[in-house]
Amino acid sequence: MPRVKVPRKSTAIDMTAMCDVAFLLLTFFIMTSKPKTEDPVPVDTPAATEEQTLPEKDIAIITVGSGKAFFNLEGAEARKELLLQIGQRSNISFTPSEAKAFTTLDNVTVPVSQLKQYLNASTEDRKRMNSGIPTDSVSNELYNWIHDARVVTKNLYDKELRISIKGDSKEEYPTMQRIIAILQKQKVNKFSLITTLKGK
């Protein structure tokens, strides 16, 4: 007995729900992503095989390049408190607009004496002012930045500040030795090095 042929119908899939989910995911990733911070000087980090994500707060990054040191403390609230501490130490008062500008900075790139001028400058002028934080024995301001950042982190989060060094792979040894000596002077013997992921 012959079979009855069922006429074929084209299948139509409603993609409205799928588009909604795709746009929701896209919006979520855009809103939660953190833009990459621009380094004050070109830094070619050495390669490593291990990968570990940096936390969002209670971490400080010391960027070293071209013989200069730069300092960054993660978290807007912690940065605001740090500016107050540095201001008290140096007898400098900062206005609310200067404090707000400091919370948006990627790095501290000038000595404390130039900080007010730096905060009131335009973005282009700031790029030209990247003289670095003094680390010599006469004016060791990096020591103060690290010390006060540790105090602020302990007061705000009740945690020890984690410190990472992001150094140029071609940086000379005495510069790195000076940075590590500043950390050891504060009994900070545990810190991490920021590297790029080595390809397989």
Side-chain angles (χ1 to χ4, degrees), residues 13-196:
I13 301 172
D14 186 14
M15 296 296 290
T16 308
M18 188 67 171
C19 290
D20 289 345
V21 169
F23 278 110
L24 280 171
L25 283 173
L26 182 64
T27 306
F28 171 77
F29 287 124
I30 289 171
M31 298 297 279
T32 58
S33 65
K34 186 180 176 188
K36 186 184 176 200
T37 57
E38 188 179 339
D39 292 325
V41 290
V43 176
D44 180 27
T45 54
T49 54
E50 214 170 301
E51 187 177 12
Q52 189 175 2
T53 309
L54 289 172
E56 294 282 327
K57 60 181 184 178
D58 68 351
I59 184 168
I61 299 171
I62 303 167
T63 305
V64 184
S66 304
K68 302 172 186 174
F70 308 94
F71 185 77
N72 178 32
L73 178 65
E74 292 294 328
E77 188 183 358
R79 285 182 193 167
K80 192 174 181 180
E81 287 296 318
L82 176 60
L83 185 67
L84 291 174
Q85 290 268 17
I86 290 292
Q88 287 175 357
R89 179 187 290 274
S90 308
N91 294 323
I92 301 172
S93 59
F94 295 97
T95 64
S97 62
E98 289 170 344
K100 188 176 180 182
F102 186 78
T103 59
T104 60
L105 287 182
D106 293 332
N107 288 283
V108 178
T109 62
V110 293
V112 176
S113 59
Q114 300 174 18
L115 195 53
K116 279 184 80 71
Q117 181 187 354
Y118 182 80
L119 292 172
N120 292 311
S122 65
T123 309
E124 289 303 315
D125 290 337
R126 285 179 184 173
K127 286 180 182 177
R128 287 192 287 271
M129 294 173 73
N130 287 346
S131 57
I133 301 171
T135 58
D136 53 10
S137 56
V138 178
S139 175
N140 194 348
E141 289 184 11
L142 183 61
Y143 179 93
N144 297 335
W145 282 105
I146 294 168
H147 177 270
D148 290 350
R150 292 177 69 201
V151 171
V152 165
T153 304
K154 189 70 176 171
N155 292 341
L156 284 178
Y157 309 118
D158 196 26
K159 289 183 179 178
E160 289 295 324
L161 179 68
R162 288 178 277 187
I163 296 174
S164 293
I165 299 174
K166 184 178 186 179
D168 192 6
S169 58
K170 296 176 183 71
E171 191 60 52
E172 293 182 6
Y173 176 73
T175 308
M176 297 302 292
Q177 185 185 28
R178 203 163 56 242
I179 303 299
I180 292 170
I182 290 169
L183 293 173
Q184 289 179 331
K185 196 174 178 183
Q186 299 188 43
K187 307 228 182 320
V188 178
N189 296 311
K190 186 178 179 183
F191 52 86
S192 57
L193 298 173
I194 297 176
T195 57
T196 54

